[in-house]
Amino acid sequence: MKACVVIPNWNGEDSLAECLDSLKSQSEAVKIIVVDNASTDGSIALIEEKYPDVTLIKHRRNLGFTGGVNAGIKYAIRLGAKYVALLNNDAVAHKDWAKHLVSFLDKNSQAGIAASKILDNEKRLDSTGEMYTVWGLPYPRGRGESDSGQYDSERWIFGASGGASMYRVKMLEEIGLFDQDFFAYYEDVDLSFRAQLADWKVGYQPQAVAYHQIGATSSRMKGFTTYHTLKNLPLLLWKNVPLALMPKVWPRLVLAWSGIAFSALRRGHYRPVLKATLVGTLLWPKKLVQRYKIQKNREVSADYINSIVTHDLPPNAHRLRALRQKWWRLLRKDLKDESH
């Protein structure tokens, strides 16, 4: 089997059947692996009764997206797979999705990751690749836009969404799997960043289409997004951003992180903010050790990384954009007053 597809699952019974059916209908044969993170709904029974040919790995507790997919990837590697794709349990793949991703990786030996065009249920764009900004904030390229063909060309991008992408096993064996300290959120950007630093490319294949119900899992848990966002953004920076780019990225991330935390506190998310700050701080020493290894083995220059990151805020960072605009207005006013 050339390619395996790993699906992490936690209480996804409502959407899982449609996801599995889309994979069983692929024009490129794939081995399907579901990793269940201690679901309490009927997910396991559904798989065992209706999908006996699907490999099911059961966890006794919820290990998050990262723990789930890592277990599936390890199983796929033991099977001898050349490529491993990830697909969210609330996503549906077009019948040629796997074929186009496999073809892209077959044709581009320098590519370690192939990203899909991901659409939401209303056929608007969810992601056409993941970007990283000089503000230390990742964002999905094209999210919320109508799909009018503006992202229909193959190209190299910064990163790929873990919700529907394919990974070369050779690359994973070199740079490692997903960082389980992330649990969820930005773990895919972290892996893409490590791939770039090791001189593996990330390619976008627009013909590989998947449809995703955004936030179907995380929306069921209050404070989940706040906690993992605030915990993981600094970890992403400490591990991966080259030292030469730190003066550009770190101060901006401090401002952005503070804004996100303040907004969360205003919504009453006191516990997630406090927990994120505490856990993230406790993880710093471990991440700095990982940083040393990552940067020591870096194969590309800081200038190259600077050339592939986005030198602006994410498109949806409306509050930060407004704050920046006010700052520039004040600065221009001060300069004007001094000139008089």
Side-chain angles (χ1 to χ4, degrees), residues 118-154:
I118 309 175
L119 301 167
D120 66 18
N121 288 344
E122 297 179 9
K123 304 300 188 291
R124 291 175 305 187
L125 292 167
D126 176 11
S127 175
T128 61
E130 301 297 302
M131 311 303 289
Y132 188 76
T133 73
V134 292
W135 286 78
L137 300 174
Y139 70 94
R141 189 173 70 124
R143 174 165 288 182
E145 298 179 24
S146 297
D147 181 22
S148 57
Q150 70 272 41
Y151 298 105
D152 278 358
S153 299
E154 283 187 12

Side-chain angles (χ1 to χ4, degrees), residues 7-25:
I7 304 168
N9 180 68
W10 181 74
N11 291 336
E13 180 185 9
D14 292 344
S15 55
L16 189 56
E18 193 175 6
C19 174
L20 293 174
D21 288 342
S22 75
L23 291 177
K24 289 175 67 66
S25 302

Side-chain angles (χ1 to χ4, degrees), residues 26-42:
Q26 290 292 298
S27 57
E28 171 85 22
V30 295
K31 172 66 177 175
I32 307 170
I33 304 166
V34 175
V35 184
D36 186 79
N37 274 327
S39 292
T40 55
D41 64 357

Side-chain angles (χ1 to χ4, degrees), residues 188-199:
D188 46 8
V189 181
D190 172 67
L191 192 142
S192 296
F193 212 143
R194 285 187 277 129
Q196 295 282 7
L197 291 167
D199 201 20

